[in-house]
Amino acid sequence: MKEIKNITCIGAGYVGGPTMSVIAQKNPNINITVVDLNKERIEAWNDEDLSKLPIYEPGLDKIVAEARGRNLFFSIDVEEAIDKADMIFISVNTPTKTYGKGKGQAADLKYIELCARQIAKVAKDDKIVVEKSTLPVRTAETLKSILHNTGNGVNFHILSNPEFLAEGTAVQDLENPDRVLIGGENEEAIQSLVKIYASWVSKDRIITTNLWSSELSKLVANAFLAQRVSSINAISELCEVTGADVDEVSHAIGKDTRIGSKFLKASVGFGGSCFQKDILNLVYIARSYNLHKVADYWEQVIIMNNHQKERFSDNIIKTLYNTVNGKNIAFLGWAFKKDTNDTRESAAIYVADHLLDEEAFITIYDPKVTAEQIYKDLDYLGTRSSEENRRLVKVVSNPYEACLDAHAIAVLTEWDEFKTYDWQKIYDKMYKPAFVFDGRNILNSEFLKQVGFITYNVGK
């Protein structure tokens, strides 16, 4: 088995940064270099002020502090890092295509291909190449095709090692994973990666498979989790019209050991970089093999999720006397979930977009998301000009300021701090009647009613 002394990870984002930090911490004898073309991001990873790390994850700063400069390095010199690596992780973005064939569903593999071509160009000796990004099934075929046809006599062994990180608990998920999945064709290469993880993960949690099973397992895991969210959200609408309480229903069915309680929390809808992208990818793969019933089944999970977001914003409009034109709506939360600064596919973006179409004014507070990111998210939709977004949307750094003179408050992220606010003080400074639309069901609605609020909860 080849001893791995140097690892390079291409991509310093939400997966590459935390994963390599933990691997470096647990394997002090291996030098790990994380490279990215984004100079600002690398500077942030190298910043002495650990509060400025580009990714917020509880506990990550301590791990970076321990390993950085010892055996963990962040660099923009991609070629040098590829040259000296025994093992290369590819951890770049694989967004959904916005153009051409497969637009809106297929994964865009241009960054993966660029990585493969750069590795092929630079490599002078044998390398193990590990797919860490979430990829469509048989991407390894693309990598093999590019790497094995360079004609420079270098042997490349391709492994699939999908990440199963939940943002907000990434460090926990890395330190104590449910499973580590490694797919490949070369047993020696597989065991080289097994050895790295085995330095802290028990062997019974390290699963080895063929390449295709590993690639597909990642998509299917996310599809099953998202399906549970959409399932309980579909029931939440039924609860609202029948007088049932969705929390009581999910608690009751979650006690069934065959079902379990995880991912049965009704909400304004799921977000994040993985669920929607991976399901759309699954839909595209199924359609490309003419499995239309399979594709329709999984697509319904996305349709239900979009419906939940529209339903939430429609309810705000309807409750505020069928017009939000010129009214002030306070948003508490913009990240797609608590304990992360990631906003990709956040429900807040789409709820805001819908309300802005109705000419509402929105003031946003999120403890970890910057104003720059919020405007970027809205501008990316292309629904209106960036000037119009800035006219209608204000981002503040204080929750009480966000709620000042508001007609309604919408809770879009389940940050724990929202439960601790002085809600009487907030109520006193709002227009009356004062409404709270709790899209995450985290606030004590009975208490809010005593204060004077009119409250709306999902599924109640």
Side-chain angles (χ1 to χ4, degrees), residues 35 76-84 118 121-124:
V35 291
I76 54 167
D77 194 338
V78 180
E79 294 202 354
E80 186 196 357
I82 289 171
D83 182 41
K84 70 179 185 185
Q118 195 161 19
K121 184 180 85 172
V122 173
K124 301 186 196 71

Side-chain angles (χ1 to χ4, degrees), residues 22-42:
V22 171
I23 289 178
Q25 182 202 35
K26 306 291 186 186
N27 292 273
N29 56 318
I30 301 175
N31 276 326
I32 296 177
T33 306
V34 184
V35 291
D36 202 295
L37 294 175
N38 184 328
K39 194 178 171 200
E40 281 176 20
R41 183 181 284 174
I42 292 298

Side-chain angles (χ1 to χ4, degrees), residues 233-396:
N233 280 342
I235 299 304
S236 75
E237 189 167 10
L238 192 58
C239 287
E240 288 167 31
V241 297
T242 58
D245 183 321
V246 76
D247 284 347
E248 292 175 350
V249 173
S250 65
H251 178 69
I253 64 170
K255 286 294 182 187
D256 187 325
T257 53
R258 296 166 302 174
I259 297 171
S261 61
K262 291 183 177 177
F263 283 78
L264 284 182
K265 184 100 177 96
S267 71
V268 64
F270 61 73
S273 63
C274 290
F275 281 3
Q276 178 155 318
K277 181 181 76 168
D278 289 356
I279 294 173
L280 289 172
N281 214 325
L282 202 55
V283 169
Y284 181 73
I285 292 163
R287 288 235 162 92
S288 68
Y289 286 106
N290 289 318
L291 305 175
H292 296 296
K293 296 286 187 207
V294 174
D296 291 346
Y297 176 82
W298 287 109
E299 191 170 29
Q300 194 59 43
V301 174
I302 299 293
I303 292 168
M304 187 66 230
N305 193 49
N306 291 337
H307 169 66
Q308 192 75 346
K309 291 180 277 194
E310 285 165 19
R311 200 167 75 77
F312 185 80
S313 43
D314 283 343
N315 190 49
I316 294 175
I317 296 163
K318 187 176 76 185
T319 307
L320 268 62
Y321 316 109
N322 285 319
T323 179
V324 289
N325 184 298
K327 290 178 181 171
N328 299 317
I329 314 293
F331 271 35
L332 293 181
W334 190 263
F336 86 90
K337 64 185 284 195
K338 72 173 184 177
D339 292 336
T340 180
N341 59 348
D342 193 353
T343 64
R344 287 174 290 181
E345 292 300 326
S346 174
I349 301 169
Y350 299 97
V351 173
D353 192 50
H354 195 33
L355 295 175
L356 293 172
D357 279 345
E358 299 290 324
E359 293 281 318
F361 289 105
I362 299 177
T363 307
I364 300 163
Y365 166 76
D366 187 289
K368 291 293 175 187
V369 181
T370 64
E372 181 190 13
Q373 184 60 51
I374 289 169
Y375 288 126
K376 199 165 148 190
D377 291 336
L378 288 168
D379 292 347
Y380 181 76
L381 295 177
T383 315
R384 62 196 67 76
S385 70
S386 60
E387 292 76 22
E388 188 71 351
N389 282 331
R390 279 150 189 76
R391 181 179 77 81
L392 295 169
V393 176
K394 184 178 166 191
V395 182
V396 296

Side-chain angles (χ1 to χ4, degrees), residues 195-262:
K195 187 182 175 187
I196 290 164
Y197 281 109
S199 63
W200 82 95
V201 181
S202 63
K203 282 279 183 76
D204 62 323
R205 291 193 182 187
I206 302 175
I207 302 167
T208 58
T209 68
N210 73 36
L211 267 173
W212 323 123
S213 295
S214 176
E215 289 184 333
L216 187 57
S217 294
K218 168 65 179 176
L219 298 186
V220 173
N222 278 343
F224 270 61
L225 293 173
Q227 178 196 48
R228 286 172 68 90
V229 178
S230 278
S231 295
I232 199 66
N233 280 342
I235 299 304
S236 75
E237 189 167 10
L238 192 58
C239 287
E240 288 167 31
V241 297
T242 58
D245 183 321
V246 76
D247 284 347
E248 292 175 350
V249 173
S250 65
H251 178 69
I253 64 170
K255 286 294 182 187
D256 187 325
T257 53
R258 296 166 302 174
I259 297 171
S261 61
K262 291 183 177 177

